[in-house]
Amino acid sequence: MSWNTAHGAAMIAAAQAHEALACEVDDYVDVFGALRRGGVEVVGQKLGGLLGLYVDASQGGLPGCLVNTGLEEVAMRHTAAHELGHHRMGHGTSIDHQEQASGRWGEGWPQHEREAEAFASWFLMPRPAARTALARCGLQHLESPLDAYRMARWLGTPYATTVRHLVRLKMIDRSTETLWLKHSPGSLKTELAGALPLAPQAHVHVLTPSAHDTIVHVASGDCLLLAVPGSCFDHLPAGVSATPPDLDGQMSLLDTAHAAHTPAAWVNGELGADATVSADAGGSELFRVILRLSPIREGSDHFWA
């Protein structure tokens, strides 16, 4: 089976899954909620060299999947969507390794793995969600790999997977894909953050005026960069600090409602329920976003915070 054929089947299957599992398709797609509504038990645990696995109901039990908690959140989301693809497309039990095959990405993959991988992209990045993500970046079209990285933050998807799917969405061409895949997420994060310190798995969220009153899905260590002209953060809730996370002993001093005026802030594990971060844009103008911290996905999803 070619990748084009896999994507054709997966695009239809993902659209059917969105409808059957009551998923929003014009915003961040909640794949773990979709698995739960679809009757698939999800368990998170460290799996070494495995990304995850799907177990079907052929042995008389409920279908379920394992997700490797050694991965960062966006990789866990993609793995979960991949396992949902196995479930929705009737593939049966499947084990997914870090390296599906030697050589270039995707070469030698069997039919069911190509379909599940394509499903994950179409499920997490349907066209309406991609358009929303682009708009929240304050963009009308993509001009650089930095734009693709920023867009991936709104979609909650891995950078390389996002770039590959942008071709399917006809938002970039093949030659652009080839060039942008030469950039690593780490180098793009560093370019966006400049001299600001970042933890290895942390992401950078650039907040433009178009992000006002939206939900930003974050993980501990993530950096928020305010890109609203003439503004700075004026309220940082507990769990968000103007002090970089690697300055030991200072973070807690700034985790109060009286935030230091700054264009950058960092999330830590103390962030609880949805919390509002606001910025003074001058005069009566106010900019705000709601931060939603990813839960710790250890054990059964019934016990995730």
Side-chain angles (χ1 to χ4, degrees):
M1 169 181 280
S2 70
W3 275 105
N4 284 337
T5 303
H7 273 277
M11 180 174 61
I12 294 171
Q16 292 171 339
H18 287 142
E19 182 175 1
L21 303 176
C23 299
E24 294 204 22
V25 296
D26 59 353
D27 208 335
Y28 184 96
V29 178
D30 179 10
V31 61
F32 292 106
L35 282 160
R36 190 177 306 113
R37 290 190 295 274
V40 180
E41 176 77 15
V42 184
V43 175
Q45 69 179 63
K46 287 186 169 54
L47 298 174
L50 295 180
L51 292 171
L53 63 90
Y54 168 70
V55 179
D56 67 14
S58 61
Q59 302 303 314
L62 293 174
C65 69
L66 277 172
V67 177
N68 187 350
T69 56
L71 306 171
E72 62 173 327
E73 175 69 9
V74 296
M76 282 193 281
R77 279 173 46 78
H78 183 82
T79 298
H82 183 105
E83 308 311 336
L84 179 61
H86 285 312
H87 176 68
R88 293 290 304 182
M89 300 185 80
H91 291 161
T93 296
S94 180
I95 300 175
D96 298 305
H97 297 271
Q98 292 275 11
E99 295 293 337
Q100 296 282 6
S102 60
R104 295 183 57 191
W105 176 87
E107 285 187 354
W109 288 20
Q111 173 181 337
H112 68 284
E113 291 299 345
R114 292 191 182 209
E115 286 183 339
E117 187 70 7
F119 177 96
S121 292
W122 285 108
F123 187 80
L124 294 176
M125 295 178 278
R127 197 176 304 276
R131 288 173 178 160
T132 296
L134 185 67
R136 289 183 179 168
C137 291
L139 301 171
Q140 294 185 337
H141 57 271
L142 297 160
E143 296 182 348
S144 76
L146 291 173
D147 295 339
Y149 173 85
R150 291 171 53 202
M151 190 172 169
R153 300 287 58 74
W154 288 106
L155 293 165
T157 51
Y159 170 74
T161 305
T162 304
V163 171
R164 292 188 184 102
H165 194 60
L166 290 172
V167 176
R168 298 284 172 182
L169 296 173
K170 301 187 184 304
M171 299 178 81
I172 62 174
D173 58 27
R174 287 291 182 188
S175 60
T176 301
E177 174 198 23
T178 299
L179 289 173
W180 289 7
L181 285 176
K182 294 179 180 178
H183 295 263
S184 71
S187 66
L188 296 173
K189 289 188 292 186
T190 299
E191 188 172 348
L192 284 172
L196 297 173
L198 293 172
Q201 288 195 333
H203 284 293
V204 176
H205 304 265
V206 179
L207 306 178
T208 69
S210 300
H212 175 60
D213 263 349
T214 60
I215 295 175
V216 183
H217 294 263
V218 297
S220 180
D222 282 5
C223 178
L224 309 173
L225 290 181
L226 189 61
V228 179
S231 67
C232 56
F233 289 121
D234 65 357
H235 174 77
L236 298 181
V240 183
S241 172
T243 303
D246 60 340
L247 299 182
D248 293 339
Q250 296 187 38
M251 182 181 296
S252 61
L253 298 178
L254 290 173
D255 283 344
T256 68
H258 306 290
H261 290 273
T262 174
W266 287 262
V267 179
N268 65 56
E270 296 177 13
L271 186 68
D274 290 1
T276 299
V277 170
S278 63
D280 180 2
S284 60
E285 295 294 323
L286 179 69
F287 173 86
R288 62 178 174 266
V289 295
I290 296 172
L291 303 183
R292 181 166 295 170
L293 186 68
S294 300
I296 297 174
R297 303 193 186 279
E298 293 286 348
S300 170
D301 63 351
H302 294 292
F303 301 99
W304 294 350

